[in-house]
C-alpha cells in the first residue's frame, strides 16, 4: 500500500528509501537491451553509456544480461557467467558508483525466443514447451536477417534445478562485479514468463497446469538468489498482461496476483523485503483482452495494492504521467526506457522541464559503440 502521508506530496524528485538504498529521486533507467556488448562481453562503450545516465542517488537497471550460455536470443547482449564478463562489468559498476548512483543487473534468459546461432553447438533453445513462437514474430540473426523462430526443446523436469542454479551463480557473479543487486526478468515472453503464462506453458509435470505450478520456476529462482545474495538485493520484473511473443494468459490479473501472493509470502518467511517489484504497464498488449487497454490504471492499482513493498512501473511514462502516478500513490518509482536512451541527462531535463531529444528507433539495436548509443546530446551541448 502507498504510504498515505506521502500522497499528494510525492513527485519524481522526492527522495525514496528502497530498503537499504537511499535514492535521491524516482527517475529510474529501465533495462534496455542495446546489443553493444560484443560477443557477450561489456565494452568500454558500456562504461560511458551507463556513466552518462548516472546521477547522485539515481537508480539504474542494466540491459538484460545472460545468466548462462543458453540465455541469449539477440546478437551482442552481455553475459555474466564468465570471469571475463565479470571483470568488464566491474568497470561499468565502478563508473556508475563513482557518480554516486546505484545499479542492479537484470538477469535475462530468453528461453525459446532464440535460435541455434545463439546456442552452444547450434542446439535448440530451451523453454517450458516444445511449441515455437508463432510466425508473426521473427528472430533477428547476427547478420541482420529475420527468420521464423525454431522449435524449442521443453526442459525435462530434472533439468530445471540446473537452470535455477545458473541464476544463483549469475547473481553471485553480479555481486562479485560490484552490482548493488539483481533484477530477475520474468516478463515479456522470455523463459520465466514462458512458465508463468497458460498461453505457452503446456506442461503436465509439477511446473505446469495450476497457477501454483506455473509460478514454481519463478519462485524457485527468487528463493535461490535471495539465499545467495540477500532479499534486499533482489527484484523481480513481471508483465502479466503483455502478450509479446505470444505470452498471453487467460487471466492476467489472476496471474499477477498469484505471483505477488507468493512474493509476499516469501518476504514474510525470510523476514525482509525484496528490493522492488517492477511491472510493465498493460498498454503494450497486442492481442489480449481489450479491457486492459481501457482500464490500465485499475489493473496496475490492483497489483500495487496487493504487493507489500516497493512498486515500480514502466511503459509509456512522460514526465507528467510519472508525476501523476507518484502524486496519486500508484507507484513508488517510475522506470523510463526510450526517453532515457535519447536523453542521457533525462533527470536534469525533467527537473528543468526542458525539451527532450527524440529517440532514433533505427539505432536501438545496432552495434556501433557511439552512434545511437553515447552520442545523444546533453542539454549544455545543445545550447552551445
Ligand atoms: C530498445 C529497447 C530495449 C529493451 N530491452 C529490455 C530489456 O533488456 N529488459 C527489459 O525488461 N525490458 C526491456 N525493454 C522494455 C523497457 O524496459 C521499457 O519497459 C519500455 O521501453 C517501455 O518504457 P518506455 O515507454 O519508457 O520506453 C526494452 C525496450 C526498448 C525500447
Amino acid at each position: 500500500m502507498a504510504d498515505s502521508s506521502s500522497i499528494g506530496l510525492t513527485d519524481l524528485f522526492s527522495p525514496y528509501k528502497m530498503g537499504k538504498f537511499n535514492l535521491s529521486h524516482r527517475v529510474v533507467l529501465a533495462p534496455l537491451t542495446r546489443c553493444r556488448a560484443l560477443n557477450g562481453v561489456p565494452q568500454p562503450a558500456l562504461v560511458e553509456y551507463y556513466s552518462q545516465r548516472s546521477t547522485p542517488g539515481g537508480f539504474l537497471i542494466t540491459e538484460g544480461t545472460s545468466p548462462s550460455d543458453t540465455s541469449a536470443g539477440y546478437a551482442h547482449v552481455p553475459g555474466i557467467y564468465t570471469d571475463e564478463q565479470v571483470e568488464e562489468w566491474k568497470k561499468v559498476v565502478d563508473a556508475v558508483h563513482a557518480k554516486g548512483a546505484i545499479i542492479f543487473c537484470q538477469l535475462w534468459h530468453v528461453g525459446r525466443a532464440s535460435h541455434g546461432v545463439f546456442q552452444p553447438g547450434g542446439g535448440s533453445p530451451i523453454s517450458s514447451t516444445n511449441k515455437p513462437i508463432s510466425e508473426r514474430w521473427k528472430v533477428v540473426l547476427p547478420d541482420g536477417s529475420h527468420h521464423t523462430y525454431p522449435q524449442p526443446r521443453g526442459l525435462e523436469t530434472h533439468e530445471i534445478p540446473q537452470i535455477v542454479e545458473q541464476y544463483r551463480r549469475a547473481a553471485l557473479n553480479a555481486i562479485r562485479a560490484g552490482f548493488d543487486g539483481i533484477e530477475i526478468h520474468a516478463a515479456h515472453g522470455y523463459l520465466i514468463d514462458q512458465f508463468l503464462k497458460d498461453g505457452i506453458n503446456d506442461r503436465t509435470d509439477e511446473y505446469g497446469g495450476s497457477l501454483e505450478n506455473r509460478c514454481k520456476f519463478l519462485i524457485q529462482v527468487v528463493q535461490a538468489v535471495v539465499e545467495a545474495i540477500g532479499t534486499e538485493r533482489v527484484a523481480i520484473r513481471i508483465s502479466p498482461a503483455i502478450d509479446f511473443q505470444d505470452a498471453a494468459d487467460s487471466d492476467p490479473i489472476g496471474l499477477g496476483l498469484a505471483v505477488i501472493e507468493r512474493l509476499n509470502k516469501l518476504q514474510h518467511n525470510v523476514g525482509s523485503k525484496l528490493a522492488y517489484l517492477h511491472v510493465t504497464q498493460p498498454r503494450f498488449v497486442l492481442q489480449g483482452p481489450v479491457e486492459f487497454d481501457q482500464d490500465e490504471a485499475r489493473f496496475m492499482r490492483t497489483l500495487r495494492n496487493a504487493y507489500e513493498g516497493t512498486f515500480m512501473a514502466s511503459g509509456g511514462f512522460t514526465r507528467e504521467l510519472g508525476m501523476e502516478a507518484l502524486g496519486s500513490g500508484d507507484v513508488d518509482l517510475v522506470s523510463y526506457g526510450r526517453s532515457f536512451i535519447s536523453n542521457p541527462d533525462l533527470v536534469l531535463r525533467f527537473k528543468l522541464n526542458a525539451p527532450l531529444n527524440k529517440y532514433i528507433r533505427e539505432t536501438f539495436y545496432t552495434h556501433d559503440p557511439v552512434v545511437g548509443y553515447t552520442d545523444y546530446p546533453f542539454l549544455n551541448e545543445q545550447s552551445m
Side-chain angles (χ1 to χ4, degrees):
M1 289 290 286
D3 172 7
S4 56
S5 64
S6 66
I7 290 177
L9 302 172
T10 305
D11 69 14
L12 284 171
F13 298 99
S14 309
Y16 183 72
K17 191 161 166 44
M18 184 178 82
K20 67 204 293 182
F21 304 107
N22 291 312
L23 311 188
S24 64
H25 61 80
R26 321 265 181 133
V27 185
V28 175
L29 173 67
L32 293 159
T33 292
R34 304 308 315 279
C35 301
R36 263 75 171 191
L38 302 182
N39 301 314
V41 181
Q43 305 292 310
L46 274 77
V47 178
E48 169 77 5
Y49 171 80
Y50 285 103
S51 169
Q52 285 182 339
R53 285 155 185 78
S54 299
T55 49
F59 184 58
L60 283 64
I61 309 163
T62 69
E63 61 210 274
T65 300
S66 304
S68 70
D69 64 357
T70 61
S71 301
Y74 300 82
H76 305 306
V77 298
I80 191 147
Y81 55 90
T82 70
D83 287 342
E84 185 190 11
Q85 291 163 343
V86 171
E87 287 310 309
E88 295 308 312
W89 271 123
K90 274 183 189 166
K91 297 174 188 167
V92 175
V93 175
D94 286 351
V96 170
H97 284 165
K99 291 238 178 129
I102 295 145
I103 182 164
F104 274 30
C105 180
Q106 190 190 52
L107 299 185
W108 176 41
H109 195 308
V110 301
R112 67 178 185 165
S114 186
H115 186 279
V117 297
F118 301 115
Q119 296 299 318
S124 300
I126 57 171
S127 183
S128 63
T129 176
N130 294 322
K131 277 183 309 191
I133 297 177
S134 65
E135 296 205 353
R136 60 192 283 257
W137 308 96
K138 300 288 179 225
V139 57
V140 184
L141 301 191
D143 64 6
S145 59
H146 289 59
H147 296 264
T148 304
Y149 278 99
Q151 184 176 6
R153 184 178 71 75
L155 285 162
E156 303 284 338
T157 312
H158 70 86
E159 292 178 290
I160 293 176
Q162 297 161 25
I163 311 295
V164 173
E165 172 60 14
Q166 290 170 353
Y167 276 95
R168 194 186 71 86
R169 266 196 251 135
L172 285 169
N173 282 345
I175 298 304
R176 194 150 62 89
F179 281 108
D180 298 291
I182 57 122
E183 179 181 287
I184 296 165
H185 194 342
H188 307 165
Y190 296 109
L191 182 62
I192 297 178
D193 211 20
Q194 290 161 27
F195 277 81
L196 291 174
K197 299 275 172 71
D198 64 5
I200 299 176
N201 184 336
D202 55 0
R203 304 179 70 87
T204 52
D205 66 357
E206 66 195 82
Y207 291 93
S210 65
L211 271 173
E212 180 67 29
N213 287 0
R214 284 186 278 127
C215 290
K216 188 174 282 181
F217 177 49
L218 168 64
I219 299 304
Q220 288 181 341
V221 170
V222 176
Q223 191 88 45
V225 297
V226 157
E227 280 166 20
I229 67 171
T231 329
E232 287 189 321
R233 296 190 184 278
V234 175
I236 292 96
R237 182 170 199 179
I238 57 170
S239 60
I242 302 229
D243 57 10
F244 184 62
Q245 298 177 142
D246 301 338
D249 194 89
S250 58
D251 179 14
I253 195 85
L255 175 62
L257 290 172
V259 169
I260 287 171
E261 187 189 327
R262 285 159 182 80
L263 296 180
N264 286 341
K265 194 166 149 208
L266 184 142
Q267 296 185 135
H268 283 287
N269 289 346
V270 296
S272 55
K273 292 265 164 74
L274 294 156
Y276 59 89
L277 176 68
H278 191 177
V279 181
T280 318
Q281 303 239 57
R283 69 184 53 151
F284 295 111
V285 166
L286 296 172
Q287 62 184 15
V290 287
E291 64 261 31
F292 292 113
D293 284 341
Q294 292 159 1
D295 209 359
E296 177 168 71
R298 193 162 58 87
F299 179 86
M300 292 298 280
R301 227 167 261 150
T302 304
L303 299 187
R304 196 279 196 273
N305 289 337
Y307 182 62
E308 297 168 8
T310 296
F311 190 84
M312 184 189 300
S314 182
F317 281 99
T318 57
R319 178 183 188 277
E320 290 64 35
L321 289 173
M323 291 287 191
E324 252 172 54
L326 284 158
S328 60
D330 284 346
V331 297
D332 297 307
L333 299 167
V334 181
S335 83
Y336 288 89
R338 290 161 295 180
S339 48
F340 229 141
I341 287 179
S342 55
N343 295 276
D345 53 355
L346 184 68
V347 179
L348 177 67
R349 287 175 192 252
F350 277 172
K351 184 117 205 172
L352 302 176
N353 206 3
L356 302 186
N357 299 322
K358 290 198 168 38
Y359 55 79
I360 303 162
R361 189 179 292 280
E362 293 70 37
T363 56
F364 277 174
Y365 303 108
T366 49
H367 312 309
D368 193 282
V370 176
V371 178
Y373 194 52
T374 54
D375 61 349
Y376 283 105
F378 287 74
L379 254 188
N380 56 359
E381 293 169 344
Q382 278 175 329
S383 54
M384 275 166 24

